[in-house]
Structure formats: C-alpha cells, structure tokens
Amino acid sequence: MQFNLSSKERVQKQFGQNAEKYVSSEGHAHGTDLALAIEWLQPALDDVMLDIATGGGHVAKALAPSVKSVMVSDLTPAMLETARKHLTDSGVDNAHYVLADAEHLPFLDHSFDVVSCRIAPHHFPDPDAFIREVGRVLRPNGRFLLIDNVAPDDSALSDFVNLVEGIRDPSHVKCLTAVQWQSLLEKNGLLLARDLSRKKKFRFQSWLDRMAPTEAHRLAVSTILLHAPQDFKTYFQIEIEDGTVSSFETDEWIALAVKV
C-alpha cells in the first residue's frame, strides 16, 4: 500500500506517474524565476553545473547555453528520462544525466561551479543533508541557487499549507520557512548573497490535477480551502467563484548563496 512506502519511494511513484506534466506545466516551464536564475547566477562558459531534482529539466535548459556542461540529476528514472528527451529535443548537447539522491550525491568534493535546485526541496526528507551535500560538491566561491515554495513564519499558516500540500501530493514532505533555509545555508558554509520572497499564484484545478492521486484527495483539498478561516483565505488569497476554488497563492523564496 502507498502508506507503507518511504518518502523517497513516494516521490518516485508520484513523479514517475506524472513526469510529462512537469515538462508542460506552465509554472515550471515558463516561470519568471528562470530568467532570474540566469541573471543571478551569471553563468560563464567555463562553468560546470549541477541541476538537482531537475524535474522537467527547465533550469538545465535555461542555463545550458551559457555553461561548459550541466549534470542533470533526479531521483526518479522516468522523470530523468523525460527531462533528457525534453532537453535533447530542445537542442541541448552539453548535458549529462545521472540518477541521484539529493541527500547522497554521487559526485566528488568540489566538482561544480554552479548548483541549482528548483521547486523540489519540499520533497526532501532531510533538508540538512541536502544542503550539506550542496556545500560539499561546490567548489570554493561556487554559486548555489535555491528556489522553492516556503511556509509562512506563522505556525498555524505553516501547518495549513503543509497539510494542503500533503493531501494533494503524497510525496510532499514539508515546506520550510525562508528563515529555516537560511539557517541551513549558513550552517553548511553557504553565504546568502541575495534573496527574494514573493507570492506565487496557482490556477487551482491544474495544480490539483497535476498530482492529486484520487478524487477523494481532490475533494479533501477543495473542501479545506473552501472552508478555511477568513484570515487564512486572505493570506493565501484563496479565490472562490461559483462555489469552487479558482486560484490561490503561496510563498516562494529564491536565494543565491556562495560557498565561503
């Protein structure tokens, strides 16, 4: 049964079944954070890059023309295969592909000038191990770009968003707060160079359909949002039209850190 699976097995199951959706997802394929990734990382033609938990391969695709090579990694074989097809079809010819656990990267110390991880760490059961591995494989002065959904500092709002995400997507582990991420970066020798906190709007139905495994999961998520306390509806900008949720917003954190 699904509930007997480990968190990483749930990730492989969920993303293996939904790999193609992450190539075509509007938010993943065309998010404005992709342009920010290029602007903030300032890639150079002699940079060797690693993209962790690549999903549809969108960060790797955006950065590949500006770096020497990019190692594209993911925990899920079907997801990595889908990303490889997407990048190859898009003309990317300097990418290499490897199955890799973000918390146990199969690379030597000081292997990369640039590391990126986008909209994935909330699936990682051990964020500390993930950031420790990023610091290990980065070269001195190497750059790390982290982009993910984050939880509000308020504990009730944080519990709410993690509850909703966990029901919608059984592979969800936890959205940390930006403060928690910054603490992990500092602990592992990564100095925050710049960051941006902003709201991220989701079209409810496409967001729900992308990962909700059953109609019961869809109904549960819809019910929770429809009947959320008014201050929760205000914070997450839950929009309701004709008795159904049409959109909502969560918090996103974009951070650039440098290995000291």
Side-chain angles (χ1 to χ4, degrees), residues 114-127:
V114 174
V115 174
S116 61
C117 189
R118 175 180 182 249
I119 323 179
H122 56 275
H123 295 286
F124 301 164
D126 190 347

Side-chain angles (χ1 to χ4, degrees), residues 2-69:
Q2 179 176 310
F3 295 110
N4 293 328
L5 297 176
S6 72
S7 59
K8 292 180 183 180
E9 289 171 329
R10 285 195 292 272
V11 167
Q12 290 175 318
K13 177 180 175 65
Q14 281 289 99
F15 283 88
Q17 293 173 338
N18 297 284
E20 290 289 347
K21 296 178 183 178
Y22 278 83
V23 172
S24 59
S25 163
E26 182 70 21
H28 290 77
H30 303 293
T32 57
D33 54 340
L34 292 172
L36 278 179
I38 299 172
E39 177 187 341
W40 286 20
L41 285 169
Q42 291 291 297
L45 290 176
D46 59 351
D47 280 341
V48 178
M49 175 184 169
L50 167 65
D51 188 35
I52 298 173
T54 194
H58 301 295
V59 174
K61 179 182 175 181
L63 273 292
S66 304
V67 299
K68 180 179 181 181
S69 65

Side-chain angles (χ1 to χ4, degrees), residues 125-140:
D126 190 347
D128 193 356
F130 158 57
I131 297 297
R132 186 168 61 248
E133 282 291 89
V134 169
R136 182 183 66 78
V137 302
L138 267 177
R139 293 169 180 161

